[in-house]
Amino acid sequence: MTTARLAVFGNPIGHSRSPEIHHQFAAQHGLDIEYKPLLVPVDGFDRYARTFLTDGGLGFNVTVPFKQDAFRFVQSASPAATMAQAVNTVSINEQGMVTGDNTDGAGLVTDLVNNLGWELEGRRILILGAGGAVRGVLASLLSGDPASISLLNRTTSRAQVVASHFGDQRLGVVEAHLDGAPFDIVINGTSAGLNGELPDLPSHVIGAGTRCYDMSYGSTRTPFLAWAMRSGAVSLADGLGMLVEQAAKSFEIWFGLPVTTAPVIERLRTSL
Ligand code: NDP
């Protein structure tokens, strides 16, 4: 059996947990894979991608800042990737056709609904941020049939561009001084926490029944989740489950095999 060669392209990439996640998935099926983190120069995506695939790579994941480069690079893109204009999973088939997918949204929704048991249908959702991660998850969240999704971003014009790209009447843009009833679910999709910062928003968006999710994760509670807890949220979750679930969808695209994610999430959690 030949070793399947996979990678994750990013810059920076040293922090990536994807190699250990995919090696654990492969072990579940007794598959022999080599999955490496690849530090790609910011202007080098196409060159690295072409070389990796020409040298026999089966596919690769893509993380910051290359998801849009990957969308432009692939020959065909899935509906999820096309809506997001961003690709996090590249694969090549036997005819040499290079396809791009975006599994972030499916990963998030699987974590919210299957792992955490948070219903989306009929819920009012507030999303903080309007960058690549948020664009990547909107289509999947909308397909969960929420009553509304409000986007709040530090740069409001960016949220407006995203909302008009999706053109869904349930999707709207709000500003930091919004008023009104608390939301059912608040999702932080900003990178503010990476610098220990907190997006600007009033605590009345949180009520006694509000569930808060941070796409970021870490060994300690993220600044957003610490704030949500102080503000009285009923449930808190970070993005570790999303990370493993989006990886599971990538693995399925490459190998056509399902994986069991719970033990992988658990092991990752204890090693943070
Ligand atoms: P981008 O750089 O594309 O977007 C960053 C977003 O964060 C923008 O909306 C930006 O606002 C906002 N932001 C940055 N700093 C601040 C701040 N100090 N206060 C308020 N808003 C701020 O990043 P991504 O969308 O790719 O990633 C966002 C987060 O999601 C990251 O933490 C990433 O790790 C996480 N992520 C997690 C995944 C998982 O599987 N768990 C998958 C993908 C991403 P503005 O437009 O005003 O600049």
Side-chain angles (χ1 to χ4, degrees):
M1 191 171 62
T2 54
T3 304
R5 288 186 53 232
L6 299 158
V8 52
F9 286 27
N11 188 337
I13 198 62
H15 64 285
S16 177
R17 310 305 297 256
S18 294
E20 60 192 277
I21 294 172
H22 282 282
H23 280 109
Q24 288 182 48
F25 289 162
Q28 291 182 10
H29 290 284
L31 284 177
D32 185 20
I33 70 162
E34 175 195 85
Y35 185 114
K36 287 189 171 169
L38 209 57
L39 179 66
V40 175
V42 282
D43 60 352
F45 179 83
D46 282 26
R47 192 162 34 94
Y48 273 61
R50 221 172 289 118
T51 304
F52 188 80
L53 295 173
T54 312
D55 288 352
L58 175 70
F60 54 88
N61 285 128
V62 183
T63 186
V64 177
F66 298 118
K67 290 183 186 178
Q68 277 153 294
D69 294 285
F71 177 68
R72 287 187 289 270
F73 175 79
V74 297
Q75 291 165 286
S76 81
S78 70
T82 305
M83 277 314 285
Q85 305 270 291
V87 158
N88 79 337
T89 306
V90 173
S91 51
I92 184 164
N93 70 12
E94 279 165 10
Q95 289 72 43
M97 168 75 102
V98 180
T99 303
D101 212 318
N102 191 315
T103 64
D104 284 338
L108 172 65
V109 170
T110 301
D111 196 35
L112 292 175
V113 177
N114 296 4
N115 298 345
L116 298 166
W118 299 7
E119 290 294 327
L120 299 179
E121 192 179 340
R123 300 296 193 264
R124 292 174 61 247
I125 302 176
L126 175 65
I127 302 189
L128 313 174
V134 170
R135 273 203 321 275
V137 301
L138 280 176
S140 297
L141 286 173
L142 284 165
S143 62
D145 219 7
S148 63
I149 298 182
S150 302
L151 287 183
L152 194 166
N153 192 40
R154 179 176 60 181
T155 311
T156 303
S157 57
R158 219 173 154 200
Q160 282 160 343
V161 169
V162 173
S164 64
H165 170 71
F166 277 81
D168 187 305
Q169 58 184 5
R170 294 168 297 173
L171 183 60
V173 175
V174 294
E175 299 201 37
H177 49 74
L178 80 167
D179 46 29
F183 288 85
D184 299 310
I185 299 175
V186 181
I187 299 172
N188 179 31
T190 74
S191 51
L194 300 178
N195 304 315
E197 291 170 10
L198 194 61
D200 185 20
L201 83 167
S203 58
H204 67 72
V205 300
I206 311 280
T210 306
R211 302 180 189 283
C212 290
Y213 190 96
D214 197 336
M215 290 196 211
S216 304
Y217 58 86
S219 53
T220 57
R221 187 168 283 143
T222 66
F224 169 72
L225 292 180
W227 171 86
M229 194 175 79
R230 288 196 302 275
S231 306
V234 66
S235 312
L236 309 173
D238 72 11
L240 197 69
M242 172 182 174
L243 178 77
V244 174
E245 296 297 346
Q246 61 78 27
K249 315 284 177 210
S250 297
F251 191 91
E252 205 168 331
I253 287 169
W254 293 323
F255 296 104
L257 295 169
V259 291
T260 307
T261 51
V264 180
I265 296 173
E266 210 176 296
R267 196 173 305 173
L268 212 57
R269 175 73 66 200
T270 56
S271 73
L272 281 179

